[in-house]
Amino acid sequence: MTRAGRTLTPARQRPTSKSTVLITLCLAALIINIDVTIVNVALPSLVRELGATTTNLQWVVDAYTLVFAALILAAGSLSDRVGRKGVLLAGLGVFAIGSLSGSFCQTPNQLIAARAVMGIGAAGIFPATLSLIANVFTERAERAKAIGLWGATTGVGVAAGPIVGGWLLEHFWWGSVFLFMVPVAAIVAALVAWAVPTSRDPNIRPVDGPGLVLSSLGMGMLVFSIIQAPEWGWGSTSTIAALAAALGILAVFVAVESRTAVPMMDVSLFRNLRFTAASGSITIGFFVLAGFTFLITQYFQFVKGYTPFGTGIRLLPVATSIAIAAVVGTRLAVRVGNNVVVATGLTMWGLAVLWISTASTSTSYYEIVGQMLLGGGGLGLITAPATEAIMGAVPTEKAGVGSAVNDATRLFGAALGVAVIGSIAASLYSTRLASTIPSGLPEQAAAAAKGSVGGALVAAKALGAAGLVGQAHQLVTAAVGAFLHSVEGALRVAGAVALLGALIAGIFLPARPRVGEDLGLRPEDELPPVVLNGNGSGHREHGWVPRTRRLRVAPSTDAVVVGSVAGPVVVVDIDGDWAHVDGAGGDGWLRRSLLHART
């Protein structure tokens, strides 16, 4: 395709098929999705074998998230400039090194440092996978399908992490969950080197140093303040100061990028509702997902008594429904519009979470399956179609930074979800337990119970072993009751947030790209004349025209329209043999062979 007198070559193809490229990139993304969940399975083992404290455990998880979030915008921008394939390979290498070192750590602090290295690698991997997909699959319909499969890896990771991690912990030591990732990363890297085409911005642009530094500092400070807020207190001076500093740095970043000749990020993208509303929808979806996952894994293990491996097996329904809905959702978005699909997904997700908030000790697994199918289906309809909207609003040569924004919204939403939903749950748990905890408990047992439901169950087991069976039973009853109370209140908040997000998406998220937006065209771009039926000079394969060019519809009974669109129309979208057109009399779909450029 030509644009303003130059030729765009988004990705130089190798002899490998697009299907092979897509499978390889989805495997690379799956590494990150598995890593996020597999680590949680190993946390109890770290307490027993490394003597990790609660604070140590928090930072084993958060060091990875913090570095990942801080560097993701910078990594996405660099991949556009220096090459997306190279950044992906570098990220896989760094991730493998961090995983290898983490598997043999002797102290919690060493493991925290290794997790930070893994976060550096993840920042190079995740945005590069999506930006490469956007450059290989350039037509909207095929790109939507590819992004749907990419989004399905989220669902696979939800269950695969606990299943793989649980099996490894039952047969090997805690470090095996990290060592497992090393050969996986090496195999994926070999596949990337063989199958994935090179891709970069065709314009040689200097590195935006101030932008890279400010984006890393701003995102890092923002995520750090959210992580620490539950411990510091949401209204404390430290939390407010940290949040204010983060927002101040990000404001400076926006100001600098607005005045930079060649910025790392075009901040004007946020004026595009297709970009902004889709980003907000993903943030809300992952806000709810992180809060839900944080509580449901505890419910399965502490209330239902499932093992980590058993928990992973029982999460398969939600994983499967996410994967299927992600694939179907992107196809529906092309047909009926992103706003309808994403708003429907948020509604389903919100209703599912509200349903899950009613869980009790007697809730059957079959009811839980129904809840997970509804929720997973909703999440799949949110993430992949919203991601497709984001990537469709960004020119392919800027796909790296567009992908990074998409990934940053996921990280930000997840960090905020754990912090906010976790804080609400902790507060409700402590308040209820304070009024129901049995009197006369040993001080150590009471302190452990007040810390968490897991601590309460450990303390109750110790009381039972000491012969205090009655107090142990009373403590279990009080702690489980307080936990279920906290789940009910916290998930009601999460469900309400999802339903509010559905309303916002329905109102503000555009149904379809603006004319030419799907290929990153601007009103001032110059393209040669186009005749969509191929009769005449200037024929182009894909049929896109400048948004200022008018087309005339040839009369035919072979047209399917809504209202009357006879006369001049504007092409809104192209899908296979059909063109979505908009005219004074209405809009609808016409066969592309019926469209002729006005003479």
Side-chain angles (χ1 to χ4, degrees):
M1 185 188 80
T2 59
R3 174 176 174 176
R6 67 177 185 274
T7 300
L8 299 185
T9 55
R12 286 176 287 175
Q13 297 287 351
R14 296 176 65 91
T16 52
S17 68
K18 286 187 175 183
S19 298
T20 304
V21 174
L22 179 59
I23 291 170
T24 300
L25 294 175
C26 285
L27 287 174
L30 182 60
I31 289 176
I32 305 304
N33 287 312
I34 289 178
D35 182 78
V36 170
T37 55
I38 199 173
V39 171
N40 293 329
V41 177
L43 295 181
S45 299
L46 298 180
V47 175
R48 294 190 298 268
E49 300 186 36
L50 289 186
T53 64
T54 300
T55 301
N56 292 148
L57 295 180
Q58 179 186 9
W59 278 106
V60 166
V61 175
D62 291 341
Y64 173 84
T65 302
L66 180 62
V67 175
F68 191 176
L71 297 179
I72 195 164
L73 292 178
S77 176
L78 282 175
S79 71
D80 285 336
R81 286 169 162 79
V82 304
R84 301 175 184 102
K85 180 178 179 178
V87 169
L88 174 56
L89 288 171
L92 287 166
V94 172
F95 185 85
I97 291 171
S99 299
L100 180 62
S101 60
S103 65
F104 295 105
C105 288
Q106 301 297 314
T107 67
N109 287 336
Q110 290 176 355
L111 182 56
I112 291 168
R115 291 289 290 161
V117 174
M118 293 179 217
I120 297 173
I125 296 170
F126 212 44
T129 59
L130 184 55
S131 61
L132 281 163
I133 286 174
N135 276 267
V136 172
F137 300 88
T138 53
E139 287 299 307
R140 189 189 178 199
E142 68 169 2
R143 188 184 64 226
K145 295 175 184 177
I147 289 177
L149 290 170
W150 179 87
T153 62
T154 299
V156 176
V158 166
I163 290 173
V164 174
W167 186 86
L168 288 171
L169 290 173
E170 287 180 2
H171 294 83
F172 305 101
W173 89 113
W174 65 266
S176 62
V177 299
F178 298 109
L179 187 61
F180 165 78
M181 304 302 291
V182 177
V184 173
I187 293 171
V188 172
L191 287 173
V192 169
W194 169 67
V196 176
T198 58
S199 172
R200 57 174 292 175
D201 187 338
N203 296 309
I204 304 299
R205 301 172 183 270
V207 174
D208 177 14
L212 295 178
V213 173
L214 288 170
S215 67
S216 299
L217 287 176
M219 285 298 298
M221 180 61 74
L222 181 61
V223 173
F224 176 75
S225 60
I226 291 171
I227 289 171
Q228 290 297 110
E231 180 179 342
W232 290 343
W234 285 95
S236 69
T237 302
S238 298
T239 299
I240 294 173
L243 285 172
L247 295 176
I249 294 171
L250 290 174
V252 173
F253 167 72
V254 171
V256 169
E257 295 300 280
S258 299
R259 293 169 173 77
T260 301
V262 187
M264 64 167 279
M265 176 186 290
D266 181 4
V267 294
S268 66
L269 279 171
F270 289 97
R271 294 199 293 266
N272 183 341
L273 281 178
R274 183 169 166 79
F275 184 85
T276 304
S279 298
S281 298
I282 291 177
T283 300
I284 292 172
F286 275 83
F287 171 90
V288 178
L289 174 64
F292 159 78
T293 305
F294 177 75
L295 295 175
I296 200 67
T297 51
Q298 295 181 71
Y299 173 80
F300 278 155
Q301 295 187 44
F302 298 141
V303 178
K304 291 296 188 180
Y306 301 151
T307 64
F309 180 76
T311 296
I313 293 294
R314 288 172 175 85
L315 285 173
L316 281 173
V318 71
T320 303
S321 58
I322 290 173
I324 294 174
V327 175
V328 173
T330 50
R331 298 185 181 187
L332 286 175
V334 174
R335 295 289 182 182
V336 303
N338 294 91
N339 56 346
V340 174
V341 177
V342 173
T344 299
L346 282 164
T347 300
M348 291 171 59
W349 191 206
L351 293 175
V353 170
L354 291 175
W355 185 10
I356 294 167
S357 72
T358 65
S360 66
T361 55
S362 60
T363 300
S364 71
Y365 176 66
Y366 296 105
E367 181 178 350
I368 296 172
V369 168
Q371 295 167 344
M372 290 192 292
L373 289 175
L374 178 62
L379 187 63
L381 293 180
I382 299 164
T383 55
T387 296
E388 188 273 331
I390 290 172
M391 299 309 295
V394 180
T396 53
E397 64 265 30
K398 298 297 183 186
V401 74
S403 174
V405 171
N406 172 76
D407 300 336
T409 60
R410 293 172 177 238
L411 290 169
F412 174 68
L416 192 62
V418 171
V420 173
I421 302 302
S423 293
I424 294 172
S427 176
L428 292 172
Y429 173 82
S430 298
T431 302
R432 175 59 65 91
L433 188 65
S435 62
T436 59
I437 192 170
S439 58
L441 284 178
E443 183 177 346
Q444 186 176 3
K450 292 176 182 178
S452 68
V453 63
L457 297 181
V458 171
K461 186 176 181 180
L463 290 174
L468 302 175
V469 178
Q471 284 187 319
H473 177 72
Q474 292 175 350
L475 179 57
V476 170
T477 301
V480 170
F483 173 72
L484 291 174
H485 173 69
S486 73
V487 169
E488 179 182 10
L491 291 187
R492 282 182 176 180
V493 173
V497 170
L499 293 177
L500 178 61
L503 179 63
I504 294 172
I507 294 173
F508 293 106
L509 179 60
R512 300 182 185 280
R514 294 193 301 265
V515 179
E517 181 182 77
D518 199 49
L519 291 179
L521 305 181
R522 300 172 300 185
E524 63 271 20
D525 288 335
E526 297 178 359
L527 293 176
V530 174
V531 180
L532 291 179
N533 68 353
N535 297 324
S537 61
H539 170 66
R540 288 191 301 110
E541 177 184 356
H542 302 309
W544 283 95
V545 299
R547 63 186 68 181
T548 57
R549 181 176 294 279
R550 293 281 182 173
L551 299 179
R552 186 181 303 281
V553 180
S556 173
T557 57
D558 198 20
V560 178
V561 299
V562 178
S564 172
V565 291
V569 297
V570 174
V571 173
V572 178
D573 197 6
I574 296 289
D575 184 18
D577 293 329
W578 293 87
H580 182 210
V581 298
D582 188 17
D587 73 307
W589 290 87
L590 298 175
R591 292 196 182 278
R592 288 170 60 181
S593 60
L594 305 178
L595 298 180
H596 300 261
R598 177 192 294 179
T599 58

